[in-house]
């Protein structure tokens, strides 16, 4: 079996019993000797960005459940390296993170296309040998 690489998508098996990954699509964003980090990208939750980021109280962009680890952290994926510097390229047109101050400004000036960014709470992680 081929080991996942950065930019790969993991799609859960139809009858997976683990509730953390049932019917999930996970994007692998980091691969190291000691394991992997990824984000579940298809589980929207009942919170909006403005409920977590005080400066963006009016922002109604949705949040997604990235996985069972680090639920106190918010991350973002985007395809706007020309507007958000410092992101890590994960796939041809997918970047992880970057300058959050730039993101806040884009939202505050209403110049951020919500179709080009995804906000995620938590992440998925696996130790070496788990995948």
């Amino acid at each position: 079996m081929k080991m996942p690489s950065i930019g790969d998508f993991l799609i859960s098996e139809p009858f997976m019993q683990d509730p953390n990954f049932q019917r999930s699509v996970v994007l692998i964003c980091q691969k190291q000797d000691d394991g992997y980090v990824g984000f579940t990208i298809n589980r929207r939750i009942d919170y909006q960005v403005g409920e977590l980021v005080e400066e963006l109280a009016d922002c109604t962009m949705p949040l997604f459940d990235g996985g069972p680890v680090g639920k106190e952290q918010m991350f973002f994926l985007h395809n706007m390296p020309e507007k958000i510097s410092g992101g890590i390229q994960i796939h041809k047109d997918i970047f992880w993170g970057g300058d959050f101050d730039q993101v806040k400004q884009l939202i505050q000036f209403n110049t951020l296309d919500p179709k080009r960014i995804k906000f995620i709470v938590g992440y998925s992680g696996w130790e070496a040998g788990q995948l």
Side-chain angles (χ1 to χ4, degrees):
M1 181 171 105
K2 175 188 173 264
M3 295 306 295
S5 297
I6 293 173
D8 284 351
F9 291 93
L10 304 180
I11 301 171
S12 68
E13 294 181 9
F15 302 107
M16 178 175 273
Q17 296 301 309
D18 183 341
N20 292 311
F21 297 105
Q22 275 181 334
R23 300 167 119 19
S24 67
V25 176
V26 177
L27 174 62
I28 298 296
C29 293
Q30 186 176 49
K31 177 182 178 182
Q32 296 179 328
D33 291 339
D34 60 347
Y36 294 87
V37 171
F39 298 106
T40 302
I41 59 169
N42 65 319
R43 289 189 173 168
R44 188 173 170 167
I45 57 177
D46 291 330
Y47 288 95
Q48 298 172 345
V49 172
E51 294 176 85
L52 296 185
V53 182
E54 189 176 314
E55 304 99 317
L56 301 175
D58 295 333
C59 181
T60 60
M61 288 185 202
L63 287 167
F64 290 80
D65 181 355
V69 183
K71 293 287 194 174
E72 69 285 347
Q73 297 173 298
M74 186 175 80
F75 304 91
F76 60 97
L77 299 169
H78 64 92
N79 65 355
M80 299 176 286
E82 74 284 357
K83 292 185 177 188
I84 303 169
S85 63
I88 299 168
Q89 189 169 11
I90 303 304
H91 200 268
K92 179 183 174 202
D93 291 320
I94 302 173
F95 293 79
W96 171 19
D99 187 331
F100 193 60
D101 286 331
Q102 290 174 332
V103 173
K104 289 189 290 189
Q105 284 183 341
L106 291 167
I107 291 171
Q108 290 165 339
F109 293 126
N110 202 30
T111 57
L112 180 71
D113 182 348
K115 294 176 186 160
R116 298 185 66 192
I117 192 164
K118 184 174 285 230
F119 293 96
I120 301 165
V121 175
Y123 64 94
S124 301
W126 299 269
E127 293 179 5
Q130 281 190 297
L131 288 180

